[in-house]
Amino acid sequence: MQSGLRVGVQVPPLAPLHLPPYRPSLRSVAVRVRVEELSATKRKLKVQIPPSTVKEAVDEVYRDLRRRVKLKGFRPGKVPIEVLKRLYREQAHREAISQLIEKTYPEAISRKSLEPVSAPQIEPGDFSPEKSFTYTALLEVKPPVDLKRYKGLEVKVGKKGRVTDKEVREEIERLRNLYGRLKTAEGRKRVKKGDWVLLDFEGFLDGRPIKDSRAENYLLEVGSGTMVPGFEEALIGMEVGKEGEFRVTFPQDHPRRDLAGREVLFRAEVKEIREKILPELDDEFAKDLGVTDVRALRKKVREELERRKEEDYRRRVREALLDELISSNPMEVPSSLLQGRAQAIYERWKKEEGGDTDERVWEACVKAAERDIKTAFLLEEIARREGIEVKEEEVEERLKEISKRTGRDLRLLRNDDRVVEGVRTELLNSKVVDFLMEEAHIS
């Protein structure tokens, strides 16, 4: 996470002038700045701008209006200032306020060495062209990171585990299932566990069809656990071509709150039963998977399972280390960051999982967001203390990997600041976690 995030200044909306925008050109000004610490992450700024600077801003606004405004009876650029003041006084003052704040706010936070993490809430004071102008800004800042303990963390994750012959056999069987082909079952019309069935179905609650519960020509492996518990079991014994009815009680924690804990009536018709024919475990099958024979296939499968176990072990160690790191170094999280991150996690969950959500889902998102934010600040501080850095060639190499994997143009990736910064942060965090693992006591 970058320190000193760029923020926009929120000022009162300007009255519509319907004129082209212009950019303020105020010189750097001397302002008085006072800071009140409201909490570890909240500050209140009071900024006072001298009368001479206020007058300069107002004069510039009127000069710009004179250049842009077209009024009947006056040549372009020749409208008297007094006329403009009479017609546009309120709007001009609002523009001057906006100009003054946009110019002095960055200077104020820089002078006080503040690192905002969100846009400020601006409250302008009374305004007069001949007097000093004061405004307050409520903002959240990067929390202080007081690292108490990060070396020698002790975590227990259990042994990595060795790949067994049984696991190899099960994985090969999974591959055979993956490459199996379906064919219509001959000589029987009733469904049994393990069959693949083509069916139509629809759910009803209190006698009314349930929204999004109707499906046609749905292909399902009976016993796979794909559907709500009880649905697939009810299909066993059903006959092809005949509609059947059965009731299923949805789990209390089902994502659809309108169905959670409710008994639903399903009407279903099995249109076809299919059986999966698995390929023989021979050298031909092995060649289809890119190796020479069955022996080489078993070797390749074992190596892949070992790689997965290593990845799973590192993941468990990483999660345990980060949990211990957060627990050992308490810190306050800025509420704006927490809200924004939680909302992003929540929206992603809704997109991936679908269905309705409840308070438990939001609470889980908030908890995950808090962990993410604390982790980011802590890893950033550890990197600073230990001098851990990411080289540009490392970023370039990762960008090339992304380009090759996704097909995206490498030049576009290089020019996308968000992508580059994301890659740099990911690489830095990975290096810090590797450092923590080297220093930790893992059992």
Side-chain angles (χ1 to χ4, degrees), residues 31-42:
V31 296
R32 294 178 59 186
V33 184
R34 289 188 296 173
V35 180
E36 181 181 352
E37 184 174 320
L38 304 180
S39 73
T41 62
K42 293 181 180 180

Side-chain angles (χ1 to χ4, degrees), residues 213-274:
S213 71
R214 181 179 176 81
E216 294 182 353
N217 296 323
Y218 188 85
L219 188 61
L220 172 68
E221 182 184 8
V222 179
S224 63
T226 304
M227 306 297 284
V228 66
F231 185 98
E232 294 170 32
E233 291 82 351
L235 295 177
I236 297 174
M238 286 186 64
E239 189 174 346
V240 174
K242 292 185 178 181
E243 186 179 273
E245 292 186 356
F246 52 88
R247 297 180 182 274
V248 173
T249 300
F250 277 58
Q252 291 288 349
D253 60 352
H254 194 273
R256 283 194 55 168
R257 288 182 293 175
D258 59 327
L259 301 179
R262 304 290 299 276
E263 185 180 70
V264 173
L265 170 68
F266 281 99
R267 291 175 185 156
E269 178 186 348
V270 176
K271 303 171 75 172
E272 186 179 355
I273 299 175
R274 299 177 183 179

Side-chain angles (χ1 to χ4, degrees), residues 3 7 61 83 107 246-247 312 329 391:
S3 60
V7 300
V61 169
V83 174
E107 186 175 328
F246 52 88
R247 297 180 182 274
D312 178 68
N329 300 278
K391 298 178 181 178

Side-chain angles (χ1 to χ4, degrees), residues 13-153:
L14 304 181
L17 290 176
H18 306 294
L19 297 171
Y22 74 98
R23 296 185 180 276
S25 59
L26 276 181
R27 299 185 300 273
S28 179
V29 297
V31 296
R32 294 178 59 186
V33 184
R34 289 188 296 173
V35 180
E36 181 181 352
E37 184 174 320
L38 304 180
S39 73
T41 62
K42 293 181 180 180
R43 301 290 185 273
K44 182 178 181 179
L45 280 182
K46 190 171 184 178
V47 183
Q48 186 178 55
I49 305 171
S52 59
T53 304
V54 174
K55 184 177 184 303
E56 178 187 343
V58 174
D59 290 346
E60 181 175 341
V61 169
Y62 280 122
R63 285 194 298 270
D64 186 77
L65 282 172
R66 172 183 268 180
R67 289 191 296 268
R68 295 183 294 152
V69 163
K70 295 179 180 179
L71 289 179
K72 188 175 181 180
F74 298 98
R75 286 181 296 168
K78 299 298 182 180
V79 180
I81 294 294
E82 292 305 318
V83 174
L84 293 176
K85 288 182 178 180
R86 187 173 69 253
L87 295 176
Y88 295 110
R89 177 179 177 277
E90 183 178 349
Q91 292 92 328
H93 288 185
R94 287 180 180 273
E95 283 202 24
I97 290 172
S98 178
Q99 177 182 335
L100 289 165
I101 293 174
E102 290 182 5
K103 181 67 177 179
T104 60
Y105 174 75
E107 186 175 328
I109 61 174
S110 175
R111 184 182 300 180
K112 295 300 181 178
S113 301
L114 297 177
E115 296 181 272
V117 296
S118 63
Q121 295 179 8
I122 302 291
E123 185 63 41
D126 294 335
F127 185 83
S128 173
E130 290 81 25
K131 296 181 180 180
S132 63
F133 170 62
T134 302
Y135 67 90
T136 60
L138 294 175
L139 63 148
E140 287 197 299
V141 297
K142 181 181 174 182
V145 181
D146 181 19
L147 279 175
K148 294 181 173 63
R149 184 166 152 264
Y150 63 96
K151 293 182 179 180
L153 297 176

Side-chain angles (χ1 to χ4, degrees), residues 171-203:
E171 179 62 14
I172 290 177
E173 195 62 21
R174 188 190 68 81
L175 291 172
R176 291 180 66 209
N177 266 282
L178 184 64
Y179 284 86
R181 59 184 180 86
L182 296 176
K183 75 167 190 174
T184 302
E186 302 290 345
R188 63 185 178 88
K189 290 191 174 183
R190 292 193 179 274
V191 178
K192 66 179 182 180
K193 186 176 181 180
D195 283 338
W196 287 78
V197 295
L198 193 69
L199 75 156
D200 298 341
F201 65 87
E202 185 172 15

Side-chain angles (χ1 to χ4, degrees), residues 257 357-364:
R257 288 182 293 175
T357 59
D358 57 25
E359 192 65 27
R360 292 172 299 175
V361 173
W362 174 250
E363 290 173 357

